[in-house]
């Protein structure tokens, strides 16, 4: 089977070229893989794959307990085309081969944190990139090609370039990057090219996902399917290595009452708010937006500034003309004309005095973006702040 990495580089799927991924058992130290699509697991958590697809010449990798190195790379390819392979280690699902115990795919809106750490070994006299892939799709896809590929180029050696063309620059994760955008015929690609080689880095994967979302390329309803790191060699590459790799994606909704805290109403006492009537109190709303061309995202915080708890909340306000919400997270957000109603979900309906809940959404606008100015919580006007 051609892998997602192969299609990402070539944009082609040739009939009759499907080859099954060879999956082995957990790797021991110094396990050698020379099979074209051979793979094994390390740490009972990640998959390491040889993934040679652009050449018939042999490629062998040496798998350790923490990563892998390229033992030999005998193939070569023109630098104006696709590389010969993508030996890599990954968390998640890649063409039906899912890492053990993975919680991927997972919807972006449900991710509370996604962190990763990588350490590379580079060599001279070869043409390659050190690439880190983040794959996303509108569906929880475990097979085939995803619709969005985020590539992070940690290092580039030789006259090669990311797919598409350079369209700008960005600061992500506290670092500066060239931004390249394009499509390879199979999926969209947004690449972040480091101006100089990065040997090791611990970072938030969500920083890149959020930047791509803010560019309007995905929404929070999309799914993160896999996180991969390795090399794309065009010529040479023996000695390249991923010394260590780790990735962790966490999700979960916070409980209504934090663990260990007593209930708001002592047992045996009548509830402060009669059943069916949500608490009102007073409130403060924070509204932070990020707009571009015809799109925007908004993060909204609601703080209970009163002395009584709010048990179930509805925030009402109006969006300026031309704005339309397309997706939301952490609240049930509906829109009728310009009127917006945001209601709590099952797990964030209680707002204790002094506490804050937050939600957000993505939308489109017709130009000249402005933010809403007046909000009410359960019918009571809120201050801005």
């Amino acid at each position: 089977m051609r892998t997602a990495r192969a299609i990402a580089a070539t944009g082609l799927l040739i009939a009759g070229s499907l080859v099954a991924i060879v999956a082995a058992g957990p790797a021991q130290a110094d396990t050698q893989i020379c099979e074209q699509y051979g793979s094994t697991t390390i740490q009972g958590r990640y998959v390491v794959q040889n993934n040679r697809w652009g050449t018939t010449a042999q490629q062998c990798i040496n798998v350790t307990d923490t990563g892998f190195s390229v033992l030999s790379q005998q193939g070569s390819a023109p630098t104006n085309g696709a590389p010969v392979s993508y030996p890599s280690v990954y968390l998640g699902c890649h063409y039906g081969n899912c890492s053990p115990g993975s919680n991927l795919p997972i919807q972006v809106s449900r991710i509370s944190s996604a962190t990763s750490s990588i350490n590379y070994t580079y060599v001279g006299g070869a043409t390659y990139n050190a690439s880190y892939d983040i794959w996303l799709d509108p569906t929880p896809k475990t097979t085939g090609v995803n619709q969005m590929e985020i590539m992070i180029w940690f290092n580039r050696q030789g006259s090669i370039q990311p797919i598409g063309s350079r369209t700008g620059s960005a600061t992500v994760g506290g670092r500066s990057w060239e931004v390249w955008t394009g499509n390879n015929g199979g999926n969209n690609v947004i690449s972040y090219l480091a101006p100089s080689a990065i040997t090791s880095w611990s970072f938030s994967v969500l920083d890149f996902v959020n930047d791509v979302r803010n560019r309007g390329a995905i929404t929070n309803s999309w799914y993160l399917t896999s996180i991969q790191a390795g090399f794309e060699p065009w010529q040479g590459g023996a000695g390249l290595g991923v010394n260590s790799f780790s990735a962790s994606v966490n999700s979960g909704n916070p409980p209504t009452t934090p663990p260990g805290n007593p209930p708001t109403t002592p047992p045996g006492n009548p509830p402060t708010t009669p059943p069916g009537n949500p608490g009102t109190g007073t409130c403060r709303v924070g509204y932070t937006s990020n707009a571009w061309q015809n799109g925007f995202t908004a993060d909204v915080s609601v703080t209970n500034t009163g002395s009584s708890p709010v048990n179930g909340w509805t925030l009402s306000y109006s969006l300026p003309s031309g704005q339309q919400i397309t997706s939301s997270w952490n609240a049930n957000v509906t829109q009728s004309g310009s009127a917006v109603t945001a209601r709590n979900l099952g797990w964030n309906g209680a707002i204790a005095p002094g506490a804050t809940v937050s939600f957000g959404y993505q939308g489109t606008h017709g130009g000249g973006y402005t933010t809403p100015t007046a909000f009410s919580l359960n019918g009571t006007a809120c201050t801005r702040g």
Side-chain angles (χ1 to χ4, degrees):
M1 175 185 350
R2 285 208 173 201
T3 65
R5 176 66 252 148
I7 294 177
T10 64
L12 299 175
L13 181 61
I14 302 173
S17 66
L18 299 180
V19 180
I21 292 177
V22 179
Q28 304 299 318
D30 300 322
T31 297
Q32 183 174 309
I33 299 177
C34 296
E35 294 85 0
Q36 182 176 8
Y37 296 112
S39 68
T40 189
T41 59
I42 61 173
Q43 301 177 36
R45 178 175 173 79
Y46 308 113
V47 175
V48 177
Q49 58 180 359
N50 195 29
N51 199 9
R52 172 181 58 82
W53 50 269
T55 177
T56 58
Q58 188 180 65
Q59 171 180 281
C60 294
I61 61 174
N62 187 64
V63 183
T64 69
D65 288 337
T66 59
F68 70 92
S69 61
V70 179
L71 290 175
S72 63
Q73 171 49 257
Q74 299 171 5
S76 63
T79 56
N80 61 350
V84 298
S85 63
Y86 183 46
S88 57
V89 55
Y90 67 86
L91 173 75
C93 295
H94 184 86
Y95 266 72
N97 191 15
C98 296
S99 57
S102 171
N103 61 346
L104 303 181
I106 185 172
Q107 201 163 32
V108 171
S109 62
R110 294 183 55 234
I111 300 175
S112 58
S113 65
T115 56
S116 186
S117 181
I118 185 77
N119 180 275
Y120 285 106
T121 291
Y122 301 136
V123 298
T127 301
Y128 64 90
N129 71 48
S131 57
Y132 190 105
D133 270 9
I134 304 167
W135 288 94
L136 301 112
D137 195 82
T139 64
K141 198 169 188 177
T142 60
T143 61
V145 182
N146 290 180
Q147 292 190 24
M148 172 54 63
E149 176 187 13
I150 302 173
M151 288 195 72
I152 309 171
W153 286 43
F154 279 67
N155 190 12
R156 171 175 62 174
Q157 293 295 311
S159 56
I160 54 176
Q161 68 179 46
I163 291 170
S165 59
R166 182 177 179 180
T167 54
S169 59
T171 299
V172 182
R175 294 179 179 269
S176 298
W177 308 87
E178 293 181 10
V179 179
W180 294 62
T181 58
N183 183 289
N184 55 41
N187 57 271
N188 293 321
V189 186
I190 296 181
S191 301
Y192 297 83
L193 173 61
S196 59
I198 301 171
T199 302
S200 62
W201 194 28
S202 297
F203 63 101
S204 170
V205 172
L206 277 184
D207 288 345
F208 290 92
V209 173
N210 291 338
D211 190 75
V212 168
R213 182 200 67 198
N214 292 341
R215 295 172 186 275
I218 66 167
T219 70
N220 279 289
S221 64
W222 283 47
Y223 291 80
L224 173 65
T225 63
S226 67
I227 299 170
Q228 301 174 275
F231 300 94
E232 291 184 322
W234 273 258
Q235 298 167 5
L240 293 171
V242 172
N243 304 315
S244 63
F245 169 84
S246 67
S248 178
V249 180
N250 298 308
S251 66
N253 297 329
T256 302
T257 302
N261 286 2
T264 304
T265 304
N269 288 359
T272 304
T273 303
N277 292 339
T280 54
T282 55
C283 51
R284 181 176 66 250
V285 172
Y287 193 95
T288 303
S289 59
N290 182 19
W292 64 92
Q293 286 187 319
N294 297 320
F296 73 97
T297 58
D299 293 303
V300 186
S301 63
V302 182
T303 301
N304 179 5
T305 58
S307 57
S308 300
V310 174
N311 300 310
W313 52 267
T314 299
L315 188 70
S316 303
Y317 55 98
S318 294
L319 286 179
S321 177
Q323 295 185 20
Q324 182 64 48
I325 295 173
T326 56
S327 63
S328 62
W329 53 95
N330 293 343
N332 181 13
V333 183
T334 58
Q335 181 176 357
S336 177
S338 62
V340 174
T341 302
R343 293 182 174 86
N344 65 272
L345 301 179
W347 55 268
N348 64 353
I351 315 177
T356 299
V357 295
S358 299
F359 67 94
Y361 51 86
Q362 182 165 333
T364 60
H365 66 87
Y369 177 82
T370 57
T371 61
T373 57
F375 302 84
S376 63
L377 181 68
N378 296 340
T380 299
C382 299
T383 60
R384 285 290 306 275

